[in-house]
Amino acid sequence: MKRNSVLLLWIMVLLLNPLFRANAQYQIPEKLKWWYNDRFGMFIHFGSYSYLAHGEWAFSIENWEKTDYQQQVSPHFNPSEFDAREIVQLAKAAGMKYLVITAKHHEGFSMWDTKVKSFKDVTGDKMYSLPRFTSFGERDVLMELKRACDDNGIKFCLYYSILDWGHSSQEINHVNGSTFSTMKSDSERTAYIRDMKAQLRELIDRYHPASLWFDGDWTYNAGEPSPEKWWTKADGIDLYNYLTGLDSNLVVNERVCRSFGLGDYECPEQEVPDVPRSRQWETCQTMNRTWGYNKNDNDYKSTKYLVRELVKVVSRDGNYLLNIGPKGDGTVPEQTADTLKAIGEWMDTYGESIYGTTRSPFAAEPEWGFYTKKEGKLFVHVFSWPQEGMLSIPAIKNSITKIYLMNEPGKALDSSFENGSIRISLPANTPNDNDSVVVLEVAGLPEATVF
Ligand code: GLC
């Protein structure tokens, strides 16, 4: 009994220890391999809110009545300048490998020609969708994007909001600062979930998305449904099984019902966890401060910030989903396009230190940067270039065949071993202000000596 308790205590100490957690590995399921390998994707928030240009939460924040929103906002959305090829080219130029676009956001407006009857406007006369509710016409923007993605080797994925401020089954709930939705009755809940699944089947049958990215699951609980907490853990499990039953390769995020370890990966939002998590994860990030187009938000993060965040995320074994919010006419804001191109310039030289790489082999992170690794290579990302021209990194178990700057692979750097460290001589000036990378070519997968 006593021996068991001591053993248990040791196991607990190990599990709670960040060093252990940093080095813990998990199996990547076969269907997730492309996603885990790709590392960098584009998020696109695009809906009738893009016309209003106040961000995708305007309906809630500005206290719109459904009727007014559906008269004054949604019908005017006419993305006639939407150019799927241009957007995919931008994603490609930035080095992004997958793309997730909002098929239906919280406002409830469907971006495709849904035939599921309950997704109508408040009058019940019209389908509340881009082709049926606006003067945009018969173009299918999701299909245009899907085709452009397929032609360019980018994986096409869709976002879907579980809560729906526009649907007749729900009312937006402003009580006690809530911004979610209240379900009108149990029978409407059952019917809504049935219809939601029918919409998702439409999306899968029509667009074959590589992944479905859920959101708007905040009205959840672990037990029985109530008007405020109408989405349950059991619903999340059922939804996941339903979707993977339709397509066993479909990758689904945890927000089928968050907090219960469901779905295929975790998604901390606009946040980078301090250490790797116990399973795969992806963080999503805005380029400015809003997801959907907001004409008053010009507060863009710098290229340096975004490149460094991407590196930090991958060094902690995460994926990075960076958002763009096209304008109501479908065009991409200039600053967004410029930022994507600038990230792409860095990725052109340094992309190999991101794709197919995994977490740092070391538990501790240096003050001057981060590490990523893959079979045969350790990538040392140097954010603050050492003044004295000498970089010191912890020893690794692997034999080292070559050390060089990633932008100058033909020129070997001098190195020596001292007190359990590898000391590498660097030129005086940083090769890249965003992030310069030193490569160690090694035998096998880089492994820290201390472990
Ligand atoms: C939040 C917001 C939503 C946005 C999402 C992206 O959940 O409600 O507007 O789409 O974050 O992760």
Side-chain angles (χ1 to χ4, degrees), residues 43 45 56-57 105-106 159 213 215 218 255 269 284 291:
F43 214 174
H45 276 70
E56 81 289 358
W57 270 79
H105 205 272
H106 311 334
Y159 165 113
W213 208 103
D215 191 25
W218 303 284
R255 295 187 187 175
E269 185 170 314
C284 48
W291 301 99

